[in-house]
């Protein structure tokens, strides 16, 4: 059987074979795209691992300690942070202003940042403060839940509506706030232990002073005893010398009287 004459851009394919008879079909080949859901009759093509890419980006963002974003004049950017109750949260930001003259982001002392922290559940403003281009803010959560941290620019002396800001922002969620009563009891216990330790040290100091006094008394007594022993020895020597001299004189006179 002769092949069909297909139009330009079409492709022939042998779709069926019965005995020695072959059936040829002309079809148009479409390019595959990422969003092509044509069915199972198209050839299997390798697709990118979307799930792997998602988790990779998730862990990459989770491992980052800080981020930066861009703001225009009179623009506000908010972030949601889920924080437990009685937790200290500290934020740090630094804003740089685009300089047309230098063609880079530079620090501007007249630039100010407005920080507003709102408890999403209650709508209560936890923090509302205006600060310089680089500063910190700290707050303690009263209830667990989402907290909206909003940052916006405030007008300065050299402010213009065409100003572009690069804002570096970092949030550190601290430990749970300590219990004041527990801290007070701990301080009281430590104070009592310190007083006991001071008392024991005072007792040791008094004992050392008493030992020094006893040592001084024993030293004086020993020196006096040694002095008496020396004088007693000297007296014994004098007595012995005098006795010997008297005896010699007595014997001399005795022999002279006897004319011996």
């Amino acid at each position: 059987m002769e092949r069909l004459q297909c139009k330009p851009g079409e492709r022939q394919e042998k779709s069926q074979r019965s005995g020695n008879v072959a059936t040829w079909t002309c079809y148009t080949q479409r390019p595959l795209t990422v969003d092509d859901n044509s069915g199972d009759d198209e050839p299997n093509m390798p697709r990118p691992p979307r799930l792997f890419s998602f988790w990779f980006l998730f862990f990459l963002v989770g491992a980052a300690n800080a981020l930066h974003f861009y703001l225009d004049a009179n623009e506000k950017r908010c972030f949601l942070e889920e924080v437990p109750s009685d937790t200290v949260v500290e934020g740090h930001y630094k804003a740089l202003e685009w300089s047309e003259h230098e063609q880079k982001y530079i620090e501007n002392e007249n630039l100010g940042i407005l920080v507003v922290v709102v408890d999403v559940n209650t709508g209560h403003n936890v923090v509302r403060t205006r600060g310089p281009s680089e500063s910190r803010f700290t707050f303690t959560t009263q209830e667990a839940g989402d907290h909206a941290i909003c940052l916006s620019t405030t007008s300065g002396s050299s402010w213009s509506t065409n100003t572009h800001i690069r804002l570096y922002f970092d949030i550190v969620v601290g430990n749970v706030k300590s219990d004041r009563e527990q801290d007070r009891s701990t301080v009281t216990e430590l104070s009592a232990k310190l007083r006991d330790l001071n008392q024991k040290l005072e007792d040791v100091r008094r004992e050392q002073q008493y030992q020094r006094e006893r040592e001084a008394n024993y030293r004086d007594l020993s020196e006096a005893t040694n002095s008496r022993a020396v004088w007693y020895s000297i007296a014994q020597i004098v007595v012995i010398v005098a006795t010997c001299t008297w005896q010699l004189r007595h014997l001399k006179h005795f022999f002279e009287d006897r004319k011996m």
Side-chain angles (χ1 to χ4, degrees), residues 184-201:
R184 189 177 295 108
S185 62
T186 303
V187 171
T188 304
E189 183 179 357
L190 290 176
S191 299
K193 290 182 179 180
L194 286 176
R195 285 194 297 270
D196 295 340
L197 183 59
N198 290 332
Q199 185 65 31
K200 291 180 180 179
L201 290 176

Side-chain angles (χ1 to χ4, degrees), residues 206-218:
R206 285 197 297 267
E207 183 67 22
Q208 289 179 348
Q209 184 66 26
Y210 174 69
Q211 294 296 334
R212 291 193 187 98
E213 293 177 357
R214 290 187 60 184
E215 181 182 0
N217 294 331
Y218 289 149

